[in-house]
Structure formats: C-alpha cells, structure tokens
Amino acid sequence: MTDRTPLMAGNWKMNCNHVEAAGLVQKLDWTLKDGHYDASKSECALIVPFTDIRTVQTLVEGDKIPMAYGAQDVSLYASGAYTGEISADMLAKLKCAYVVVGHSERRDYHGETDEIINAKAKVVLAAGMIPIVCCGEKLDIRKAGEQVPFVLAQVDICLAGLTAEQVASLVIAYEPVWAIGTGEVATPEDAQEVCGAIRERVAATFGAEAADKVRIQYGGSVKANNIVDIMAKPDVDGALVGGASLNADEFAKIVMFYAV
Ligand code: PGA
C-alpha cells in the first residue's frame, strides 16, 4: 500500500487581507518550527484569497517555509472577456500547488454544479496544479441515510473523463455540509464510512493503483481536539480546515496531529 502523506489544508475562505496573511503565515511557521514539525509526516497547505497569494508566495519562497499554498476557486476559461475571473495559468504562474474546486459555498452561493466542478478540475490539472475536489451531503440527505450514494454520485460526475493517473494525483475532500462552520463535527466513523466508499468507487472506476494513491480529506468543524481520532481512520488522508486554520496555534496542532 502506498504511504499517503496526509494533507492538512487551511481554507481561509474570505478572511485575511494580504497584510494579515503575512502575519498569519509567519506565526504559523514559527509555531510549527517550535513544535519540530516534520513535513514527511504531514503536508501543510494554505488555501488563501486570490489577493493574498503573491504575499504568501514571497514569504514561502524567501524564508523557505515548508508549506504549499493555493487558491479557493478558478475560472473555467483560459483568458479573455471574463470580468472578475482568475485563470488557472495565472495561479500556476504564482506557483500555486492546489486549487479547491466545488466547495459547498461555491455550490450554494454561486450555483456550481458537479459538471462545472468536473470542468474546473480538468482546467487545474491541465495547468499542472492539483485540484482539491469537494463533495458532501446536506442534512436532509444524511437524515435519510442516503449520504453514501449521494456523495458517490457527486464523485462520479466530478471525476468523469479523468485518467487514472490524474485521479491518483488529486485530492478529494469529503465535507458534509451540515458539519461546515457549525461546530457539528461528523464522528470519525461517519468520516470513514464515506471516505472508504469514495476510495472503493475510485478503485472500481479508475483501478486499484489510483484508489491507493488518491488522497481523501475530511472537512467540517475540524479542530485540534478532534483531529487525532479522525486521522486514525484508514481512509482519511488529511483535513480541509476552515475556521480553525485562522488561528496559528490551533492550526499548527492540527498539522502536527501525529505528535499528539
Ligand atoms: P470549517 O470549514 O472547518 O470552518 O467547518 C471547513 C470548510 O469549509 O472547508
């Protein structure tokens, strides 16, 4: 079995201007160094607003900070008359490693469908970056006990037309919508149920090697005090962290979950 390096990604959402971003990156760097962070045990990534990316890049490169960074969304289009959009090539030029596609907030507030998310994942891959493809059910689906088929249907469309190698290289974030920003965390068993089912579906569609390599994150009210139990589950390869990633001490503990 492949040793999948867990990916602990902080999704800042629409928080921190570029000045605040510099402070948060530096504080996180010091805190991780103090804790003897070992990048071979978990990968740390910051998913920041577009206006923060250049600042984060300058700090990470200048100070050789062991962190990846990326964007929260991308345009479907390569260039041209798309006012307000940011292209994948623009993000690649800033050396973004990751781009989140299909976050539930994009689905809810910007009408993004599984088909759009599939197209965005392809655009990100074509530009040489790694998509973090988000999926997850709302409360009514969970209450009906339909979370596994619902999420697998999302995954089928979001990954349609990709090669096995592309799927092996990307990240899937399972985020039950009812657990995002609510303090209502899924149990480790809930997370494993869906993450395990996603891996099985990847195996059935793209083969055993892709399933073995693809990283599957859990997201939704992850905190320092619940990450260890979630990460103990075999099919959970990291976390997509919202609120808790805005606090350097809290996020450093999540990144260094292995040291607890
Ligand atoms: P949360 O957000 O950790 O604040 O629940 C998670 C996310 O939206 O990725």
Side-chain angles (χ1 to χ4, degrees):
M1 201 188 87
T2 312
D3 219 356
R4 296 181 294 267
T5 306
L7 174 64
M8 312 314 263
N11 171 16
W12 290 2
K13 309 192 180 186
M14 197 173 72
N15 294 291
C16 293
N17 61 39
H18 76 280
V19 179
E20 293 161 340
L24 185 49
V25 169
Q26 281 170 325
K27 183 152 191 232
L28 183 59
D29 181 35
W30 300 329
T31 312
L32 290 172
K33 279 192 183 124
D34 272 357
H36 306 287
Y37 165 57
D38 178 351
S40 72
K41 298 213 169 97
S42 76
E43 185 182 345
C44 173
L46 301 177
I47 308 299
V48 305
F50 291 133
T51 51
D52 295 356
I53 296 174
R54 179 69 173 152
T55 302
V56 172
Q57 177 194 20
T58 304
L59 274 171
V60 164
E61 289 181 357
D63 297 350
K64 300 198 168 40
I65 298 176
M67 276 175 216
Y69 55 87
Q72 301 172 6
D73 185 32
V74 67
S75 176
L76 278 175
Y77 306 105
S79 67
Y82 300 102
T83 302
E85 296 274 276
I86 301 288
S87 75
D89 280 350
M90 292 172 177
L91 299 174
K93 188 78 179 164
L94 288 161
K95 305 237 172 62
C96 285
Y98 296 99
V99 180
V100 168
V101 294
H103 191 278
S104 69
E105 289 148 19
R106 301 288 320 167
R107 291 173 181 265
D108 274 0
Y109 308 144
H110 303 275
E112 292 197 10
T113 61
D114 292 325
E115 287 77 9
I116 291 175
I117 293 154
N118 174 243
K120 289 191 172 184
K122 288 174 180 161
V123 159
V124 171
L125 286 162
M129 300 176 290
I130 300 171
I132 298 178
V133 180
C134 300
C135 57
E137 82 286 356
K138 292 195 172 168
L139 192 56
D140 55 333
I141 305 276
R142 161 77 42 179
K143 281 192 171 146
E146 292 294 316
Q147 62 274 11
V148 169
F150 179 87
V151 171
L152 294 184
Q154 288 183 319
V155 169
D156 284 345
I157 301 174
C158 291
L159 302 186
L162 300 184
T163 66
E165 291 70 31
Q166 287 175 321
V167 173
S169 75
L170 57 72
V171 179
I172 299 170
Y174 166 58
E175 299 200 297
V177 181
W178 47 270
I180 294 178
T182 57
E184 191 78 41
V185 65
T187 65
E189 291 68 34
D190 291 337
Q192 169 59 29
E193 178 194 38
V194 181
C195 293
I198 294 171
R199 196 176 310 282
E200 278 174 25
R201 179 58 67 100
V202 170
T205 312
F206 298 97
E209 197 181 331
D212 192 30
K213 289 193 173 147
V214 66
R215 288 185 291 177
I216 305 175
Q217 296 178 307
Y218 168 78
S221 297
V222 169
K223 305 276 181 274
N225 67 11
N226 57 33
I227 187 64
V228 175
D229 290 342
I230 293 168
M231 287 304 296
K233 294 297 176 187
D235 288 303
V236 179
D237 307 317
L240 187 55
V241 185
S245 72
L246 296 170
N247 178 307
D249 291 319
E250 179 84 8
F251 190 54
K253 285 186 190 137
I254 294 171
V255 173
M256 292 190 293
F257 73 94
Y258 56 81
V260 176

